[in-house]
Amino acid sequence: MYLLAATETAGFSFADVFTSNVSGLQVLVTMVMALVIGLFIFIVYKNTFAGVMYSRNFNISLIMLTLVTSVMLMLINNNLTLSLGMVGALSIIRFRTAVKDPIDTVFMFWAVGEGIAIGIRFYDVAVVSSIAIGAFLFIINMLKIKQTMPYLFIIHYREDASPAVKQFITKQLPAKCKLKSKTVQQGGVEMTLEVRLKDSETSFVDKIMRIDGVYDATLISHQGDIVA
């Protein structure tokens, strides 16, 4: 009883624990805006993805990340006590999922940034920045399509077929062809080459199989960059 009277005297009532200054309309608008921006990030990621394995779950998590971040910022906005408590609570969370591609980390920061802007009701900043970043990524993706893409060309062959394979590599493969590894075993030789090709330049994979002594040839999309 004495505690209740003291809190009311200090300007804080027990009912404040169960109420908030956020209106239902504000919550609805914030969630809708976060969903729209999150879906936009989803579309941009899906259409500009250039990796080997596309993860739909990761892409959906970008939408959820935008929504959750906007809700968190909406809660701690103009409330110093709650913001300090939220920072303390989040400091104990450890994310152990490894991000394989650096561009995925960029998309995660993009989703968090848009969630922050929406949570503090900077809707114009969120919309303009999303359009600008999305347009930039689409332009970069279009320019990348016109260029050659890196691939790994793996060949297994008998050791006595080495002269014919070397001659084929010199004449049939592009000039930017680098030897990445070569493993010699009793059963034969495994050679890995890094080449830049266009989508239509894959006929050499069939041609190399005509060489006597070549067991198999594999062409794999590669995410690394070739240093000139």
Side-chain angles (χ1 to χ4, degrees):
M1 181 176 180
Y2 292 104
L3 180 60
L4 180 60
T7 55
E8 290 178 351
T9 303
F12 177 79
S13 63
F14 189 72
D16 291 338
V17 179
F18 302 98
T19 60
S20 66
N21 297 325
V22 181
S23 64
L25 180 60
Q26 180 181 343
V27 174
L28 180 62
V29 173
T30 300
M31 295 298 292
V32 171
M33 285 293 300
L35 180 60
V36 172
I37 298 297
L39 287 173
F40 179 75
I41 298 175
F42 178 92
I43 295 173
V44 173
Y45 181 82
K46 183 177 181 180
N47 288 275
T48 60
F49 179 77
V52 179
M53 298 289 291
Y54 168 76
S55 175
R56 188 172 184 271
N57 290 334
F58 174 80
N59 204 1
I60 293 176
S61 68
L62 296 177
I63 303 177
M64 299 302 299
L65 192 59
T66 308
L67 289 168
V68 172
T69 306
S70 63
V71 172
M72 290 174 55
L73 265 294
M74 184 172 53
L75 290 174
I76 67 177
N77 191 25
N78 298 325
N79 192 326
L80 180 61
T81 304
L82 185 59
S83 64
L84 293 175
M86 187 72 72
V87 171
L90 293 178
S91 64
I92 65 175
I93 299 177
R94 297 292 183 268
F95 298 96
R96 300 186 181 276
T97 302
V99 180
K100 298 180 180 180
D101 196 338
I103 196 65
D104 292 345
T105 307
V106 175
F107 272 92
M108 292 173 64
F109 274 105
W110 184 18
V112 171
E114 297 299 338
I116 293 174
I118 296 170
I120 59 178
R121 288 178 287 180
F122 284 2
Y123 302 133
D124 52 346
V125 175
V127 173
V128 173
S129 61
S130 295
I131 296 175
I133 296 174
F136 173 76
L137 290 173
F138 274 116
I139 292 173
I140 293 298
N141 187 64
M142 291 174 62
L143 294 176
K144 191 174 182 180
I145 292 176
K146 296 179 181 179
Q147 299 176 354
T148 56
M149 300 297 295
Y151 289 87
L152 289 179
F153 187 39
I154 304 173
I155 315 167
H156 292 89
Y157 56 92
R158 292 198 311 264
E159 190 173 358
D160 57 356
S162 295
V165 172
K166 292 180 180 179
Q167 184 179 7
F168 178 87
I169 293 172
T170 304
K171 294 183 179 180
Q172 298 294 331
L173 293 184
K176 284 190 176 182
C177 176
K178 291 186 177 181
L179 177 65
K180 302 300 292 184
S181 67
K182 182 178 179 180
T183 305
V184 180
Q185 300 176 348
Q186 292 183 354
V189 181
E190 177 184 285
M191 180 183 293
T192 302
L193 302 169
E194 190 174 23
V195 295
R196 279 191 176 272
L197 306 168
K198 293 182 180 180
D199 294 337
S200 59
E201 297 178 347
T202 59
S203 59
F204 64 90
V205 181
D206 300 325
K207 293 179 180 179
I208 198 171
M209 292 301 300
R210 301 172 187 172
I211 299 176
D212 185 26
V214 175
Y215 298 135
D216 58 72
T218 307
L219 189 65
I220 305 173
S221 177
H222 176 48
Q223 291 305 300
D225 293 327
I226 296 177
V227 181

